[in-house]
């Protein structure tokens, strides 16, 4: 099939993502799997999977200080009774929707880092996320912390991959950037069948290089869609949550994203960092049921992924880090929700993790205008990850040299 026909098809059809692929401006799973043949990764190298929870995940509804004085008065209808939580000790417990993470905690493979934040916190979703992704609290910069790591290793973009349509700022460096590989599947217009797309992906012997590349792009679209559909078809008893959260970014298909990460790890690709996300946590109203639905889906996705990773040598070198741009206010608002807050928790899980509680639990009796005071600088967690997962110098990447010891 000639190049003009393919180009006209792209323009006329509106096949999602096809134009970018055909123009060579996006990476594909084929490009990623090609790196399995590279020999640039030490045999004991670890892999980082960073999970961003967009919207401001309510840390006090994740790790619940059920015994703290003032907890029930502040939280009112959002409060959990001591018998409802999954107890970590006599003062703290996990949300009842996090049963899988509780099993990982009991097995010593989940670290809960408490009171994580930064000085002079910002309540804006976008500025706070910029701060977390650039790791520059004083003044968010133009490069992401993992983008700077990619710069430092002089890496191919495929060393840091996001399964999202747009590359998140955290993977953008000064001289290079990670690879964004859209995984939303295909949205074919009326009258266009998959067989038509397949025929467009069949190259002809002796055709010009650019024409052959266009054919490969169509073939990749079909391959990606097949992989997405098969990943989505894997066992998952949880339904997508109905969330009252506002649109602050993130995806709803975390299980599918992690299924693709698992396949990449098992295939031995050269990627050292994967970025995935889940959105919907901006719950200003009717929080409890929506939060539990989101946490249940998060729990299922993380534990299914962790169990799969535990089956292989490469998988047992994977570390998962879960964070959100901020927590919520201590007191519930008048709509049975919570408003933008400050310090929250981070979860770190996987076979290399030394489970337990890390950092100091913020006091509910010593607040900053109704907000929790942070006790752990988020850069200390990043520093530990850079040093112990990515074998990098935290001082060079973060301009911060105080790793939080113990969990890796």
């Amino acid at each position: 099939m000639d190049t003009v026909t393919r180009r006209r098809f792209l323009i006329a059809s509106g096949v999602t993502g096809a134009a970018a692929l055909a123009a060579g401006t996006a990476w594909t799973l084929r490009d990623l799997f090609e790196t399995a043949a590279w020999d640039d990764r030490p045999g004991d190298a670890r892999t980082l999977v960073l999970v961003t929870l967009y919207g401001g995940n309510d840390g006090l509804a994740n790790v619940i200080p059920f015994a703290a004085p003032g907890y029930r008065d502040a939280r009112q209808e959002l409060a959990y009774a001591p018998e409802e939580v999954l107890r970590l000790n006599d003062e703290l417990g996990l949300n009842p929707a996090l049963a899988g993470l509780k099993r990982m905690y009991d097995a010593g493979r989940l670290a809960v880092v408490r009171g994580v934040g930064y000085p002079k916190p910002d309540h804006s979703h976008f500025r706070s996320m910029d701060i977390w992704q650039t790791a520059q609290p004083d003044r968010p910069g133009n490069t992401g912390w993992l983008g700077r790591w990619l710069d430092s290793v002089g890496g191919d973009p495929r060393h840091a991959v996001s399964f999202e349509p747009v590359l998140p700022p955290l993977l953008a460096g000064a001289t290079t950037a990670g690879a964004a590989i859209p995984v939303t599947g295909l949205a074919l217009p009326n009258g266009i069948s998959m067989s038509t797309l397949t025929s467009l992906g069949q190259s002809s012997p002796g055709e010009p290089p650019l024409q052959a590349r266009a054919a490969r792009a169509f073939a990749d679209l079909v391959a990606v869609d097949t992989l997405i559909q098969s990943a989505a078809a894997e066992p998952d008893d949880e339904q997508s949550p109905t969330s009252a959260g506002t649109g602050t970014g993130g995806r709803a298909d975390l299980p599918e994203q992690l299924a693709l990460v698992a396949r990449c790890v098992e295939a031995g690709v050269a990627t050292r960092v994967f970025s995935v996300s889940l959105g919907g946590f901006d719950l200003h109203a009717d929080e409890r049921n929506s939060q539990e639905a989101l946490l249940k889906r998060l729990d299922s996705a993380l534990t299914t992924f962790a169990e799969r990773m535990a089956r292989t040598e490469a998988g047992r070198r994977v570390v998962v880090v879960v964070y959100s741009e901020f927590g919520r206010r201590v007191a519930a608002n008048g709509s049975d929700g919570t408003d933008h807050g400050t310090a929250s928790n981070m979860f770190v899980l996987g076979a290399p993790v030394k489970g337990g509680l890390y950092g100091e639990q913020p006091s509910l009796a010593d607040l900053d205008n109704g907000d929790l005071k942070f006790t752990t600088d988020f850069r200390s967690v990043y520093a530990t990850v850079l040093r112990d997962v990515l074998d990098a110098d935290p001082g060079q990447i973060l301009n911060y040299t105080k790793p939080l010891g113990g969990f890796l």
Side-chain angles (χ1 to χ4, degrees), residues 70-290:
Y71 165 70
R72 294 194 63 82
D73 289 341
R75 284 271 144 159
Q76 302 178 32
E77 296 300 319
L78 299 182
Y80 286 86
E83 61 271 17
E84 292 180 288
V85 305
L86 306 175
R87 292 198 179 201
L88 303 177
N89 56 30
D90 291 337
E91 298 177 348
L92 298 173
L94 292 179
N95 189 289
L98 298 176
L101 290 187
K102 176 58 163 59
R103 291 194 298 271
M104 293 195 67
Y105 183 89
D106 292 342
R109 292 294 176 260
L110 172 68
V112 179
V113 186
R114 301 171 292 176
V116 186
Y118 56 88
K120 299 179 181 179
D122 196 289
H123 289 88
S124 162
H125 289 292
F126 306 105
R127 183 170 177 81
S128 189
M129 187 57 77
D130 282 345
I131 289 171
W132 275 85
Q133 295 206 7
T134 64
Q136 295 172 314
D138 295 334
R139 185 177 182 181
N142 296 321
T143 59
W145 69 283
L146 288 171
R148 297 195 295 275
W149 165 78
L150 194 59
D151 286 342
S152 74
V153 298
D156 184 283
R158 288 167 287 182
H159 284 122
V161 169
S162 171
F163 285 130
E164 301 185 69
V166 178
L167 192 76
L170 70 95
L171 297 186
T175 59
T176 188
I181 302 179
V183 294
T184 53
L186 296 180
L188 295 177
N190 293 334
I192 302 300
S193 68
M194 186 61 73
S195 61
T196 300
L197 204 63
T198 301
S199 67
L200 289 168
Q202 295 175 353
S203 60
S204 302
E207 65 182 344
L210 288 178
Q211 185 172 320
R213 179 174 177 80
R216 289 196 300 272
F218 281 104
D220 283 341
L221 283 170
V222 175
V224 168
D225 188 66
T226 300
L227 189 55
I228 295 300
Q229 298 303 326
S230 61
E234 291 183 357
D236 181 9
D237 294 333
E238 307 301 329
Q239 300 298 315
S240 297
T242 299
S243 171
T246 58
T248 54
R251 303 277 296 278
D253 57 348
L254 181 62
E256 289 76 20
Q257 293 174 71
L258 288 175
L260 289 171
V261 173
R263 293 186 179 200
C264 291
V265 171
E266 291 162 356
V269 301
T271 307
R272 295 290 304 275
V273 175
F274 292 94
S275 172
V276 297
S277 67
L278 178 65
F281 287 90
D282 194 23
L283 298 169
H284 289 273
D286 303 321
E287 176 180 321
R288 180 157 169 162
N289 290 338
S290 294

